Amino acid sequence: MCANMSVEKAMRVLKSNAGRIGLGLMCKPPQAGTSKTRLAAYVGADRAAVLAAAFLADAVATIEAAARDSDVSLFAFFKPPGAEDLLRQFVPATIPLVLQDGPDLGAAMFGALWHMLGTCPDGAILIGSDLPTLPAAHVIKAARRLRMMQDGAVFGPASDGGYYLVGIKSARQAPLFQNMTWSTATVMNETRRRAAEHGIAVEDVPEWYDVDDGPSLARLEDDLRSGVGGLGPAAATRRLLGS
């Protein structure tokens, strides 16, 4: 009886999520010494942690804005174990916290996407938490494109040669994440090569940039100072840098 009830509950969840896309945020608690270590080389560990906190708050606001204008279900995938209480200062209780799992970044990303596909079979999208000015419109566009695809992947290329957003339709996209050399300027090109090799259809949304080192922080400050158009609200980051 219990097993039957579990199946029935799972079927109800799947039915309620029909047509919805899973939207996940990769995150960890902002703490000096472990947050934004590349950025810390420029601004110091304490300042890097404060910036990470602002970036995380803005990333949560971005996915919440996307959820208001698109049929998505929100998730937050975190590390390390035991960080739930710290993260709940930034991630509301309405967003499930799920522990990241996997020996490397690729496995953790695919694991998060696969987790979301379990309840949102029409597709799953993942973004990072170091995108304070990312417009929610880019995420919404990715969800719409993924929903219309029969199979394949959607990417948001990053200006450093990687990608800030990835969405997949099924486990058939797993080769895009396996044995990849991450954090290099060739990640996006290598991903496209693999997609072509495995016959995986790929669509893009507009390029954006994450903030993880001195030059990208300087770009962020210039963008906010100049009032360049097309930025997301970045309310927490604006308050911090404005002060």
Side-chain angles (χ1 to χ4, degrees):
M1 175 67 78
C2 290
N4 289 338
M5 288 299 291
S6 296
V7 170
E8 290 172 4
K9 182 178 180 181
M11 293 301 292
R12 287 197 299 270
V13 170
L14 287 171
K15 185 176 180 180
S16 67
N17 282 342
R20 297 180 71 82
I21 300 292
L23 173 56
L25 178 70
M26 299 283 275
C27 60
K28 61 181 181 179
Q31 293 179 304
T34 60
S35 295
K36 311 301 296 177
T37 54
R38 291 170 59 195
L39 189 57
Y42 292 85
V43 300
D46 290 338
R47 182 64 171 175
V50 172
L51 286 163
F55 296 170
L56 177 54
D58 287 333
V60 170
T62 296
I63 64 171
E64 289 183 314
R68 288 192 292 270
D69 291 323
S70 185
D71 288 332
V72 298
S73 295
L74 301 182
F75 300 82
F77 296 92
F78 74 95
K79 65 176 184 180
E84 293 92 333
D85 288 345
L86 289 173
L87 283 168
R88 280 298 179 207
Q89 299 176 38
F90 304 91
V91 182
T94 52
I95 301 177
L97 284 171
V98 183
L99 183 64
Q100 292 181 33
D101 189 26
D104 60 19
L105 177 59
M109 291 170 62
F110 183 74
L113 291 161
W114 183 246
H115 178 93
M116 291 186 283
L117 286 172
T119 54
C120 300
D122 282 350
I125 292 171
L126 200 58
I127 68 169
S129 58
D130 50 2
L131 301 154
T133 59
L134 177 67
H138 290 5
V139 182
I140 294 169
K141 182 177 292 186
R144 289 174 178 165
R145 290 189 175 178
L146 192 62
R147 185 177 290 109
M148 291 187 295
M149 298 176 74
Q150 287 192 335
D151 201 17
V154 173
F155 288 95
S159 56
D160 62 3
Y163 53 81
Y164 68 86
L165 176 152
V166 57
I168 65 171
K169 294 288 284 188
S170 72
R172 285 185 287 276
Q173 287 79 62
L176 302 179
F177 304 91
Q178 297 166 350
N179 301 316
M180 177 74 77
T181 301
W182 301 100
S183 300
T184 71
T186 62
V187 169
M188 190 69 253
N189 284 340
E190 171 61 16
T191 301
R192 294 190 195 280
R193 186 197 67 77
R194 293 186 185 191
E197 178 183 344
H198 292 276
I200 298 170
V202 170
E203 293 197 24
D204 288 354
V205 295
E207 181 180 296
W208 209 255
Y209 68 100
D210 46 21
V211 182
D212 54 13
D213 56 18
S216 55
L217 178 61
R219 177 179 176 180
L220 170 67
E221 293 173 326
D222 286 344
D223 283 351
L224 295 180
R225 187 182 304 113
S226 66
V228 63
L231 304 181
T237 300
R238 288 180 187 274
R239 285 195 299 270
L240 175 63
L241 296 181
S243 65

